[in-house]
Amino acid sequence: MMGFAVSDELLGTVAPIVVYWLYSGIYVALSSLESYRLHSKVEEEEKNLVSKASVVKGVLVQQVVQAVVAILLFTVTGSDAEADKAQQFSLLVLARQFVTAMIILDTWQYFMHRYMHHNKFLYKHIHSQHHRLIVPYAYGALYNHPVEGLLLDTVGGALSFLVSGMSPRTSIFFFSFATIKTVDDHCGLWLPGNLFHMVFKNNSAYHDIHHQRYGTKYNFSQPFFVMWDRILGTYMPYSLEKREDGGFEARPTKEFKDD
């Protein structure tokens, strides 16, 4: 009986896409739980400026671009066999690569994301597409203009891969993890026992503040840490309060400038 081997490069390309839709599907199923939503379903339908069909199409376009770039990147940097020979596996090396990649990705996305908000041309013609989702939901996490998807996510991912020195095999786990985290940040839910909310200050409530009209000049950090917002004064503290009609609401706890 012939075996069928799948290369690490192929898994590194396909796994984040599969994870995105599977994990989003879980949150779609949970979105019926009004008592854990940051916005009601009525608000989601009334406030958002784009149809869900358009969101799905936009995400698929971005994922195709990411897949093409990933294949090219793996081709240029060498095969998984070569990478495995060059690196001896150890938890210490793996942890170092993960942390390095997280910091690189966060740094790149913070400054590019912030610039797209402050540059009026880029915001109007590119980044505003993502902010058509005033009430975020899970499978809209990667709904961006194709140029933004290329600059923020694809280039940022490529840099984190190259600088960290991870192998294609390690990248399967890192980019799947980053995808899950990004989906969680946009899920619009505050679920009890969510490990992401326990470990990371950058979570669904934190990012929900950014998607509201008063918060578009704050909370730029994504997808892991909030260090750049804190260091550069763009951090907006918030409180999480229960709404009278059920669910939660993230509310800013200080004055903000709408400039």
Side-chain angles (χ1 to χ4, degrees), residues 16-254:
I17 297 174
V18 174
V19 166
Y20 183 88
W21 292 108
L22 286 177
Y23 203 65
S24 294
I26 294 172
Y27 277 128
V28 169
L30 294 174
S31 65
S32 61
L33 302 174
E34 286 284 347
S35 57
Y36 299 114
R37 291 177 63 101
L38 296 174
H39 298 270
S40 68
K41 285 188 176 181
V42 173
E43 285 181 308
E44 181 181 305
E45 296 298 328
E46 292 181 348
K47 290 186 176 182
N48 285 341
L49 307 175
V50 61
S51 71
K52 291 180 178 179
S54 295
V55 168
V56 171
K57 291 176 184 177
V59 171
L60 289 173
V61 168
Q62 179 163 334
Q63 288 178 326
V64 168
V65 173
Q66 287 180 336
V68 171
V69 173
I71 291 169
L72 292 174
L73 187 63
F74 288 142
T75 301
V76 170
T77 57
S79 71
D80 53 349
E82 292 171 347
D84 288 339
K85 287 178 182 178
Q87 284 186 20
Q88 288 188 346
F89 174 80
S90 77
L91 289 177
L92 186 61
V93 169
L94 187 64
R96 175 181 57 78
Q97 291 174 340
F98 257 65
V99 172
T100 300
M102 290 165 77
I103 292 173
I104 294 297
L105 186 58
D106 266 29
T107 300
W108 176 264
Q109 292 213 349
Y110 175 86
F111 287 101
M112 288 299 298
H113 185 195
R114 181 174 177 176
Y115 184 64
M116 285 192 173
H117 273 274
H118 286 278
N119 184 294
K120 293 182 179 179
F121 177 85
L122 290 178
Y123 184 81
K124 179 180 179 180
H125 296 284
I126 295 178
H127 188 56
S128 62
Q129 178 169 324
H130 182 67
H131 279 273
R132 293 175 187 171
L133 289 177
I134 297 168
V135 177
Y137 47 79
Y139 60 91
L142 293 183
Y143 174 66
N144 298 313
H145 188 284
V147 172
E148 177 179 350
L150 181 63
L151 290 176
L152 260 72
D153 297 319
T154 308
V155 173
L159 285 173
S160 63
F161 172 79
L162 293 170
V163 174
S164 68
M166 66 176 61
S167 69
R169 181 165 299 175
T170 302
S171 77
I172 297 169
F173 300 99
F174 175 73
F175 289 116
S176 294
F177 174 66
T179 297
I180 290 172
K181 181 64 173 63
T182 300
V183 170
D184 187 85
D185 291 344
H186 290 80
C187 70
L189 298 169
W190 191 264
L191 297 169
N194 188 323
L195 290 176
F196 285 125
H197 295 172
M198 297 177 186
V199 176
F200 296 98
K201 295 295 184 183
N202 197 332
N203 51 46
S204 56
Y206 182 83
H207 196 64
D208 181 76
I209 290 288
H210 177 72
H211 270 262
Q212 304 314 303
R213 296 192 186 280
Y214 58 76
T216 56
K217 297 296 177 66
Y218 300 89
N219 294 9
F220 297 111
S221 294
Q222 54 186 32
F224 299 111
F225 309 116
V226 300
M227 59 182 182
W228 289 116
D229 276 315
R230 288 190 177 276
I231 292 170
L232 297 176
T234 53
Y235 176 81
M236 178 180 281
Y238 64 91
S239 63
L240 199 63
E241 302 177 19
K242 287 192 174 182
R243 297 197 312 266
E244 291 184 2
D245 57 347
F248 296 92
E249 180 182 358
R251 298 178 182 174
T253 56
K254 74 171 187 177

